[in-house]
Amino acid sequence: MSGKPTPLSGFPELLPAERVVEQQVIDTLRRVFELHGFAGIETRVVEPLDRLAKGGEIDKEIYGLHRLQGEAEGRDVDPSRQLGLHFDLTVPFARYVLENSGKLEFPFRRYQIQPAWRGERPQVGRYRQFTQADVDIVGQGELGFHHDVEVMRVMVAAIAALPFPPVSFQFNNRKLIQGFYRGLGLTDVTAAIRVIDKLDKMPREVVVEQLTTLAGASPEQAEQCLRLASIRASDTSFVEEVRALGVEDDLLETGLTELAAVIEGCAAAASDRVSVEANLRIARGLDYYTGTVVEIFMAGYEHLKSVGGGGRYDALADDGKNTYPGVGVSLGVSRTVVPLVADGVLSASRSVPSAVLVALATEESRPSSEAVAAALRSRGIPCEVAAAPQRFGKQIRTAERRGIPFVWFPADAETNHHVKDIRSGDQVEADPALWTPPDQDLRPQVVVSPSSTIKETQ
């Protein structure tokens, strides 16, 4: 390749130190998910276009996939054979469940951390290629409500373990909303939900107007909808606030009970940086949510809107014999990590995994240095041998530039092995078969900006 390539917007590529941050976020998520018994899966990156597209039409955000040779020869044009890159992890997961239903044990507990592709206008927090982390439980025929509480609590616990700014889980329940609107006597409940979901994008008076024109609400009914949407609480006090509005409906009562259980269940996993709140404005625009819904927001990054979300869906997939209900929640890994790294909120203690640089006195002594490195690696200590036998001062500066905390000087005919902490200048005699660096130096650490109150995390 000749000449400097032109960058492609919307396809973030991280430098090594930035990748350290992303990888440790992913590792933390994986560790928490597996701690709760969720199995990791990975699906193919392509799906048939007719499965990806909504309503039989190809969505403008879907990236199509084709062979250049096949197109030139007039092949691969059969619509049933046309492929596209998945734009989320839900569509491939639904297909995965259908294809493997006879091999899976239900309820099936799954997590999936993979890239997805979406052809939208790139901007901060929105990329054409991005990594998501999903966690779901899917049943066959039925799925108990307690799984709603469990899945949401797992994601609360996972984010509480991450070095993020304060994060808020905003919960609601579609049964609560639908029951309230039905109890009000609205004729088009779905239209009302869609209008209320735009409250953060439109002035109040426009929302009232659309409730009347699109959802058939009277001015009094529209005001009641807005009163419901204004209720927020960090505990179950919202139940009495809703009942005080004077609307009665069995579905409403079910929604209130379920939402209260989710708030109480997730509160136990919350922390000083992760809060849980009932927010009766949250609706989630996707039609398939049928119960619990959640959106996740990160303090200081409100311009990103939600950085994650999900909910209960009673028909993830249907094979004609069985319906597969599920509940899940997704976190935008790229959506959170890339802006935090770009703003200097999160960084890495070093850009390489090596904790030790083994010095090289002469090219002839390379076997001795390699033997030291092998001894350290055999005990799980990441290290590397100096690239060239420069002066030791230069080799120390090389380690310093790369963030490697220790330099090892192999024994020779006159001296024993020594290891130097180049940060403090302390140098001690050491045995490569016994010496171990402090735990915090063994692997790169995620470092939080000093202006943040978040503690460092490994």
Side-chain angles (χ1 to χ4, degrees):
M1 179 183 294
S2 61
K4 189 172 182 178
T6 302
L8 285 175
S9 62
F11 296 89
E13 291 183 318
L14 302 179
L15 293 172
E18 298 168 338
R19 174 63 174 161
V20 167
V21 176
E22 181 187 54
Q23 194 60 58
Q24 292 203 19
V25 166
I26 290 172
D27 288 345
T28 298
L29 292 171
R30 180 186 297 115
R31 184 168 62 248
V32 175
F33 295 157
E34 291 181 355
L35 190 63
H36 289 80
F38 287 79
I41 69 166
E42 183 172 303
T43 58
R44 66 195 188 205
V45 302
V46 297
E47 297 291 336
L49 279 180
D50 58 0
R51 181 175 290 276
L52 289 172
K54 300 178 178 70
E57 298 179 1
I58 296 177
D59 190 285
K60 64 181 180 181
E61 295 184 353
I62 297 174
Y63 278 110
L65 187 72
H66 64 275
R67 290 191 309 117
L68 295 179
Q69 186 65 34
E71 184 178 76
E73 296 172 354
R75 297 198 302 246
D76 292 349
V77 294
D78 181 351
S80 66
R81 299 175 60 188
Q82 291 179 336
L83 303 175
L85 298 175
H86 60 231
F87 54 83
D88 67 6
L89 301 182
T90 301
V91 172
F93 178 49
R95 188 263 312 156
Y96 180 93
V97 169
L98 289 177
E99 286 188 1
N100 296 285
S101 59
K103 304 172 186 176
L104 299 176
E105 184 70 27
F106 293 98
F108 177 48
R109 307 158 66 84
R110 150 274 197 185
Y111 77 86
Q112 189 172 349
I113 304 175
Q114 267 187 255
W117 293 264
R118 189 169 294 177
E120 60 183 353
R121 183 173 65 85
Q123 53 187 299
V124 176
R126 286 190 175 274
Y127 312 106
R128 292 171 174 172
Q129 178 177 312
F130 52 94
T131 298
Q132 286 189 196
D134 286 19
V135 59
D136 293 77
I137 299 179
V138 174
Q140 188 178 59
E142 60 182 11
L143 185 70
F145 166 74
H146 66 274
H147 291 299
D148 289 39
V149 180
E150 180 181 12
V151 166
M152 299 304 162
R153 186 169 56 221
V154 167
M155 186 61 88
V156 169
I159 294 182
L162 295 173
F164 286 176
V167 171
S168 173
F169 281 71
Q170 305 283 311
F171 289 104
N172 200 357
N173 191 290
R174 291 292 285 267
K175 295 175 185 176
L176 188 162
I177 305 171
Q178 291 171 315
F180 186 87
Y181 294 165
R182 192 171 72 180
L184 274 179
L186 293 183
T187 56
D188 195 337
V189 170
T190 300
I193 291 174
R194 287 177 175 160
V195 172
I196 289 295
D197 199 33
K198 300 175 183 177
L199 259 176
D200 61 342
K201 304 173 186 175
M202 300 188 305
R204 177 188 174 93
E205 56 273 18
V206 176
V207 173
V208 170
E209 178 185 355
Q210 290 198 3
L211 283 171
T212 56
T213 58
L214 300 179
S218 67
E220 294 76 16
Q221 289 172 326
E223 284 300 322
Q224 282 282 69
C225 291
L226 291 177
R227 290 191 187 101
L228 178 74
S230 69
I231 295 175
R232 298 178 69 157
S234 58
D235 54 26
T236 58
S237 61
F238 70 90
V239 174
E240 292 309 315
E241 289 188 62
V242 173
R243 287 173 178 160
L245 296 177
V247 177
E248 296 183 357
D249 185 90
D250 290 343
L251 190 61
L252 168 62
E253 285 300 317
T254 300
L256 287 170
T257 300
E258 291 186 354
L259 181 56
V262 169
I263 295 296
E264 289 182 328
C266 291
S271 68
D272 57 344
R273 290 188 295 102
V274 179
S275 61
V276 172
E277 186 176 26
N279 181 345
L280 304 197
R281 183 199 65 79
I282 300 296
R284 297 289 290 170
L286 296 176
D287 292 339
Y288 57 73
Y289 289 114
T290 55
T292 302
V293 288
V294 63
E295 290 193 5
I296 307 169
F297 299 90
M298 189 163 64
Y301 289 84
E302 289 78 8
H303 60 283
L304 298 178
K305 305 301 182 184
S306 63
V307 297
R312 173 72 176 231
Y313 36 89
D314 283 331
L316 170 72
D318 190 323
D319 61 9
K321 292 173 55 181
N322 295 294
T323 299
Y324 298 87
V327 57
V329 59
S330 173
L331 173 68
V333 175
S334 300
R335 192 168 174 79
T336 51
V337 171
V338 175
L340 289 174
V341 167
D343 292 346
V345 176
L346 300 180
S347 59
S349 59
R350 59 182 187 260
S351 61
V352 295
S354 302
V356 180
L357 176 71
V358 182
L360 185 64
T362 65
E363 193 58 44
E364 290 72 26
S365 68
R366 185 176 290 278
S368 297
S369 294
E370 293 285 4
V372 170
L376 294 173
R377 291 174 187 139
S378 70
R379 294 186 296 108
I381 301 172
C383 62
E384 60 188 81
V385 175
Q390 299 171 314
R391 294 193 305 272
F392 283 163
K394 274 195 168 184
Q395 294 185 51
I396 290 172
R397 286 193 291 275
T398 296
E400 190 174 34
R401 284 196 305 271
R402 302 179 69 201
I404 300 175
F406 295 96
V407 174
W408 192 284
F409 302 103
D412 56 26
E414 299 179 0
T415 62
N416 294 324
H417 293 281
H418 284 79
V419 64
K420 183 183 185 72
D421 185 332
I422 65 174
R423 299 160 298 183
S424 65
D426 295 338
Q427 182 170 317
V428 297
E429 190 173 309
D431 183 343
L434 299 174
W435 178 86
T436 300
D439 288 345
Q440 66 269 23
D441 291 326
L442 189 59
R443 298 285 186 274
Q445 304 289 300
V446 174
V447 179
V448 181
S449 168
S451 61
S452 173
T453 58
I454 306 172
K455 296 180 180 179
E456 293 186 8
T457 186
Q458 186 169 352

